[in-house]
Amino acid sequence: MKRGPGVKEDGVLVSEKATVIGETVFDISGGRRAFVDTEEAAELLEPLRAPSSYTKICFSNRSLAWKLLKPEAEALEVMTIFSCALEGCVLSCSSTRVGSDGGVVLAEALGTCKHLKKLDLCDNMFGVDDGAESPANALKESAPSLEVLDMAGNDITANVASSLVACVSSKQFLAKLNLSENELKDEGAILIGKALEEGHGQLLEVDLSTNSITRSRARALAEAVVQKPGFKLLNINANFISDEGIEELKDMFKNSLDMLGALDENDPEGEDIDEEAEEDADRDELESKLKGLEI
């Protein structure tokens, strides 16, 4: 009452405390943008301790103080509070500033999830690859029916690609994969393409825009998805694809151009576009990594 009325979003009054919408959505994304410490986290998440019918849990836009939650102590306690409620749920932790330490903590909770349907981890400032790698590794053995995986905007590099590949390969019900605004580059892109080649019959959308991908790797991604039944959209905009590469992509999707997203932000001058010379230089290295890759 001291703070006055909250802000209405889609007709729902949002406060700085947890909001329950129709007994199915548990949402702490409202209120001011501030760190949530251990004590407040325990208070906010208290409703999740009891059996519930929640189908969506939203932590977006709240800066959970993951670094204050040591993995072996308070962090695991807080994460355990909501991990038991994730069965069959949508979990949104976008823009929560998880950081590298929080990635490890988050992985502990994800490792217990068997029926998670959607996971949103975009814009989490993982900081270093270890922060993103931990959730990816945890998901390899959990959430087999995951349908949506969003890890956009986390500065993920090719060093994490092998973990992402193993994760993506195990998610045969995946319908949407968003890895945009990362640093996967060509090396990561070709590995993700290989992961999507086999199976994934329900795949509808793939977004690897803004990843510094060049012509040949963009083509490999397109080849991995263009023939999948029901596929709707490949977004590889804002990369470094040559003009020749753009024409190749359009030719590949000539029977369904609407499946190829806009390429208006592509920068053909962003990197050296001598693709043949580049392929000759790194082919052996990529083949070596692919041979040793366990999927």
Side-chain angles (χ1 to χ4, degrees):
M1 293 175 66
K2 284 184 180 179
R3 286 190 295 267
V7 179
K8 284 191 175 183
E9 296 180 1
D10 297 329
V12 178
L13 189 65
V14 178
S15 71
E16 293 186 10
K17 297 299 182 182
T19 300
V20 178
I21 304 173
E23 299 184 351
T24 61
V25 179
F26 182 86
D27 188 351
I28 66 168
S29 66
R32 55 193 171 87
R33 175 81 177 199
F35 280 100
V36 179
D37 60 23
T38 307
E39 182 178 351
E40 186 180 1
E43 179 184 351
L44 287 171
L45 303 179
E46 180 62 28
L48 297 183
R49 289 184 180 274
S52 69
S53 58
Y54 299 134
T55 58
K56 180 178 181 179
I57 299 174
C58 183
F59 291 170
S60 299
N61 201 45
R62 297 301 299 271
S63 300
L64 300 177
W66 301 97
K67 289 187 177 181
L68 301 179
L69 307 178
K70 301 303 180 183
E72 67 277 14
E74 294 179 87
L76 295 184
E77 169 63 18
V78 173
M79 297 303 286
T80 299
I81 293 174
F82 73 81
S83 65
C84 62
L86 294 179
E87 298 301 305
C89 281
V90 171
L91 174 60
S92 178
C93 287
S94 62
S95 302
T96 58
R97 298 184 181 178
V98 166
S100 57
D101 293 340
V104 177
V105 176
L106 182 60
E108 295 288 341
L110 293 176
T112 68
C113 301
K114 300 300 182 185
H115 303 292
L116 189 64
K117 296 295 185 182
K118 177 181 178 180
L119 179 60
D120 183 353
L121 295 177
C122 71
D123 299 318
N124 261 299
M125 300 174 66
F126 282 120
V128 296
D129 285 336
D130 288 347
E133 189 169 24
S134 296
N137 284 332
L139 285 170
K140 287 190 293 187
E141 305 298 333
S142 62
S145 57
L146 190 69
E147 297 174 3
V148 178
L149 176 59
D150 189 339
M151 295 183 72
N154 285 306
D155 295 329
I156 300 172
T157 74
N159 294 329
V160 184
S162 60
S163 295
L164 282 175
V165 165
C167 170
V168 170
S169 297
S170 67
K171 303 295 174 280
Q172 289 297 311
F173 293 96
L174 200 63
K176 182 177 180 180
L177 175 64
N178 187 359
L179 297 173
S180 63
E181 298 184 52
N182 283 301
E183 297 293 335
L184 289 171
K185 299 188 177 180
D186 282 349
E187 185 178 353
I190 195 169
L191 294 175
I192 296 298
K194 294 292 282 187
L196 295 174
E197 278 183 355
E198 300 296 329
H200 293 95
Q202 299 184 33
L203 192 64
L204 301 177
E205 296 183 26
V206 173
D207 190 340
L208 266 83
S209 58
T210 319
N211 267 285
S212 303
I213 301 170
T214 58
R215 172 185 176 183
S216 61
R217 282 28 170 199
R219 186 172 64 239
L221 281 169
E223 290 172 347
V225 301
V226 67
Q227 298 299 331
K228 291 190 180 297
F231 189 79
K232 293 183 177 180
L233 180 64
L234 173 65
N235 184 2
I236 46 178
N237 202 4
N239 282 301
F240 301 146
I241 308 170
S242 66
D243 293 334
E244 294 83 357
I246 296 293
E247 293 305 314
E248 288 178 348
L249 291 169
K250 290 180 177 179
D251 186 62
M252 291 175 66
F253 286 90
K254 62 184 178 182
N255 294 325
S256 51
L257 276 176
D258 56 328
M259 287 169 48
L260 181 62
L263 294 165
D264 56 317
E265 296 181 15
N266 178 68
D267 180 9
E269 305 297 332
E271 280 189 347
D272 181 3
I273 57 173
D274 186 357
E275 303 296 340
E276 297 302 323
E278 181 184 350
E279 288 182 17
D280 290 340
D282 64 8
R283 183 181 295 113
D284 291 342
E285 181 182 356
L286 287 172
E287 288 182 352
S288 175
K289 290 188 176 184
L290 289 172
K291 286 180 180 177
L293 185 65
E294 293 185 5
I295 298 179

